[in-house]
């Protein structure tokens, strides 16, 4: 089974699948903690070397995951607090410069609700690159002077005919940011993680990830500057829904004398084998579909404020 | 199994499930024809009496379904032609008046792409109720004078706190239309039908139908005037995805000696029994999710033009 | 000049024009105070009787105006504070009930930025009418149980064919609120007041007011329940721009021997006479135009949050 | 007065102001024709040399203006016809290549209605750069194979912190188009021209032009490839409104014995002098405002379809 590769955008989901492979020796480390009275779970996954890459299919790097049920709910006070926590994790990954030029990229499709997280974050961003320092008060300059922020919503390939990476690469050439922060909607393997998880990684966006399945990656290698990726799972892979339901069916079969032994055959499959089986037999058109909650519009609104607020806290000197 | 009721918003899908129940004697009639060089399939389902209602779970009435693969594609010429066909079917259901007052209701959530069909249709509608006849040319008056058209996008319950039916009922009281045309996004049982099928029915919108699951119906009984419902399946029920995939898995199992007998047990279930089993064991949160194509934004744009054009053709005297 | 009537949506602007008419004896009272370290100016205008109505062209009632330069700027902390102040003024005008049913109406055109204030407020409103009290925690019930809130964005006549008043009247019949709160974009007479002034009045929306020039009013008389109107000037009347510029030209002419006497002739006109002259000679198509700031999109976003927050504070028990 | 420079985005408006300066000798040529039964007026202005540039403040190049009252109305048939005419004029300016790579840039602010023309055109564009030629039918390839089209909505400086020119320059570097077509909302000097005029120029977008007042230009010089600019006046300069009204006031004064002589003083000013006087004394904040029609949302929708259709006709081989 060493050759098996899990298809998930979330490093934190690796644990579930890779558990049997005693990952620590394999260049993968996990670390969990609970903060904010246990309401927020923070997981740090580090892929340390090529063995870790081999096992997980994820590039070497640091993946911080913040999970909280309340993220999908509209509790303004909670969102303000979690924004401050997230700001700290993002700031840690930013280059330490006297004046840091940041380009924030809102990936995804503004017109398709579950894929509109990135555009919504950029719409609410505090942009400073165009400000004339002459006109800023000394106080504002002291607070905001450390970052020069620009933002872009590149649009999706079906609407632009261009890869997001081509667009961002061009901007990097002409505007010369030190770092790119890319916001994207992700696909989860687990419905419980929908709109309740934020992943921050210093590895950029990899090919095939995201709701829109970026064909090219958006990484330091492809665009020339480091890329911090911030992702939130807003859809579930259709195969996951099938898999979860099958598990429940098998559990019921196990209670029947007649069906017990057959259920056992399938139970003996590993999770990854079952998932692979399903992906193989699922109707091909389902690969072009996503599963998303009915109140996704409210989730996107609420999550995008949490993230834009987290970023704005960094450059307004709030932390 | 007589008591079994299929959950689908599309009368045309009944055929598939009810086939074994020899529906004609049961008050259900089907009629199919191909038009436009076979590119468009038109099905008329008539639920004739309470026996038909009992069997299908759909109220007595006329259901016209227009199906065409090209509906989900962006071929402007085809869309213009199909708009004219659809206009004819809708016009047949409108009351014959010297001056017909029509209220078009765009159901669904403007902010959630797959549920935004209704609002998009109303946004592109030719509205005439507010026109002052004094200022119309004689030609325009002759052409458009037969309809007095108003339109509303009531919004969804989570955003208004009100049932669409409450809102429309109030409008019917104050503006006294002769007929309401309600446009809605539907859930399909079959992925092939997504964005390729338009259903026109004279029975209104029934409780529990639509992507948003209207709690109250929008019917002549509830609002006081006849309601023509125009629906397009833009999402698939998650249970359908599971069911379709399981079928494929069972087919594979049938080839294996070890698994053949197990597959047989499940194969012996009727489609409806299997679907019911899945709905029972599916994770409850999945009931609040929908499955939708990745390019749903383009589909909604294209379909909403087809429908608004169809309606505009009627009141601009084009047919 | 007693018969002269000023065309402005803002009671606070009356003062400037009516100053010469010794309004107190005439049934009009003004009261000003500065709060929040002088950063917010609050003016209360009371039209006390028909004499006041005659003079001002505004119906008997209470008009509270909150003015602050920072309202048009994006200072999140300030907006949160001013929301609380505004909440207090609005709450004073609400009926005192054990359980108050409120319908919030977002007037204006969602698709035309300066007229989109009302829709944007309703989009961010905390809606409670659809909540099932069974599922609310006791704490939430104690806090939010006093209000049952619904909201609607009726759309503008060009898009619906119906007057907003017709739509709201129907809703009042079917959902029976105790009070309607109507949010609207207004026209100001003074560019300095753009996006810096919020007017709260217990007299509803009067015919001819608002950016969209409501033909029918939205008042207790027309819809059957009291209407609290909340308005923000987001556009300026084109005649105002002309008038202000002409004043400046005349000031320059006064310095020239040749032009001094001409300037004097015009200077002798009262402000109202000059305004009336301009309205008369202005090109008719300009009557269908508005003057609005280039960053109106940011103003509307910021103001709509301030207002929706103010309302949400009331029903979440924050004051 | 030779040094006077008119501030207008429309070459066709030059005629009105420069008439007295016998432009032909000065390197400016005008040519007018009426087509489509006289319903469409086409004006070609050619700025031939630096003398022409000096006089008009516009760079050497070809400016084609298409004017029609019906452009601001919703007559679908007319719009389809005019799209075909416009397609011809645009095609003339495109480079003749066996395979022409075109990047369409939708300038302006998606969130501010009068400035949203460019984004709306790109939203409805037929994009081909991402199509895999392997999967195209031979017929489609023959028809569409001549153009490789990409599109971008760069956003405005207040939201991105970047000049549109910086963004486009980057894209030119990474995607190497042969030509850029830039769509923009313009300011007119004459209310009659609002939403009824389309200007196509081979000179690109110049600094200071457009509703958003681009600080940098978007020209062959700045981005490295030729730029075809397509602009529609959707707002009027506030100074224009003042000027037009003042003219009308002076006409009235001329009828009065007392005021006649003074009116004459002002009448003796040239149009340009009057306009300059007004711009000088107008309140500075008015410089940050625009005047726009109340039904601008419908105008933008209708005009954007006309333009996207014109472009789509070119690359779908329709002309």
């Amino acid at each position: 089974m060493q050759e098996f590769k899990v298809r998930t955008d979330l490093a934190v989901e690796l644990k579930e699948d890779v558990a049997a492979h005693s990952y620590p020796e394999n260049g993968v480390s996990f670390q969990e903690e609970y903060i904010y009275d246990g309401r927020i779970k923070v997981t740090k996954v580090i892929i340390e070397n090529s063995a870790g890459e081999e096992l997980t299919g994820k590039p070497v790097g640091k993946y911080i995951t913040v999970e909280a049920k309340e993220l999908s709910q509209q509790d303004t006070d909670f969102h303000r607090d979690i924004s401050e926590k997230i700001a700290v994790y993002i700031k840690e990954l930013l280059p330490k410069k006297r004046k840091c030029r940041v380009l924030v990229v809102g990936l995804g499709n503004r017109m398709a609700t579950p894929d509109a997280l990135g555009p919504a974050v950029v719409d609410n961003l505090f942009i400073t690159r165009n400000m004339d320092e002459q006109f800023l008060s000394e106080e504002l300059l002291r607070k905001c002077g450390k970052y020069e922020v620009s933002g872009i919503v590149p649009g999706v390939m079906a609407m632009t005919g261009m890869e997001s990476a081509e667009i961002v690469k061009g901007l990097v050439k002409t505007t010369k940011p030190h770092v790119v922060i890319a916001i994207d909607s992700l696909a989860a393997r687990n419905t419980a993680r929908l709109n309740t998880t934020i992943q921050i990684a210093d590895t950029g966006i990899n090919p095939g990830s995201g709701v829109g399945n970026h064909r090219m990656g958006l990484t330091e290698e492809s665009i020339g500057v480091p890329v911090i990726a911030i992702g939130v799972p807003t859809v579930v892979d259709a195969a996951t829904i099938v898999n979860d339901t099958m598990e429940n069916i098998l559990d019921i079969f196990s209670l029947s004398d007649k069906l017990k032994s057959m259920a056992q055959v399938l139970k003996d499959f590993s999770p990854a084998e079952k998932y692979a089986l399903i992906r193989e037999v699922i109707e091909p058109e389902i690969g072009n579909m996503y599963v998303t909650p009915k109140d996704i519009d409210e989730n996107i609104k609420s999550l995008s404020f949490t993230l834009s607020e987290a970023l704005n806290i960094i450059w307004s000197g709030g932390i």
Side-chain angles (χ1 to χ4, degrees), chain A residues 46-90:
Chain A
I46 300 174
I47 311 292
E48 279 158 4
N49 52 34
S50 58
E53 289 191 342
E54 184 73 17
L55 180 67
T56 61
K58 301 215 149 287
V60 163
K62 209 172 175 183
Y63 302 82
I64 300 159
T65 309
V66 176
E67 288 171 82
K69 278 261 166 295
E70 285 113 322
L71 266 177
S72 68
Q73 292 155 20
Q74 281 189 297
D75 177 335
T76 312
D77 288 334
F78 178 76
H79 280 268
R80 213 166 287 151
D81 289 334
I82 204 168
S83 288
E84 280 180 28
K85 309 288 180 203
I86 294 166
V88 173
Y89 295 119
I90 298 172

Side-chain angles (χ1 to χ4, degrees), chain A residues 94-114:
Chain A
L94 287 174
K96 308 297 174 267
K97 299 266 175 190
R98 209 177 50 79
K99 175 113 193 175
C100 182
R101 292 193 298 271
V102 182
L103 168 60
V104 182
V105 179
L107 295 169
N109 183 352
R110 184 190 281 288
M111 308 295 180
T113 315

Side-chain angles (χ1 to χ4, degrees), chain A residues 297-308:
Chain A
D297 56 317
E298 290 171 32
N299 289 324
I300 293 290
K301 200 199 273 188
S302 174
L303 282 161
S304 67
F305 277 115
T306 299
L307 289 179
S308 56

Side-chain angles (χ1 to χ4, degrees), chain A residues 107 154-158 160-170 206-208 212-218 223:
Chain A
L107 295 169
V156 292
M157 196 148 180
T160 65
M162 300 178 281
E163 289 280 353
S164 298
E166 291 180 289
I167 297 173
V168 176
K169 193 178 179 177
N206 290 288
N213 281 324
H214 308 287
R215 292 195 214 164
M216 279 170 65
L218 198 72
I223 64 162

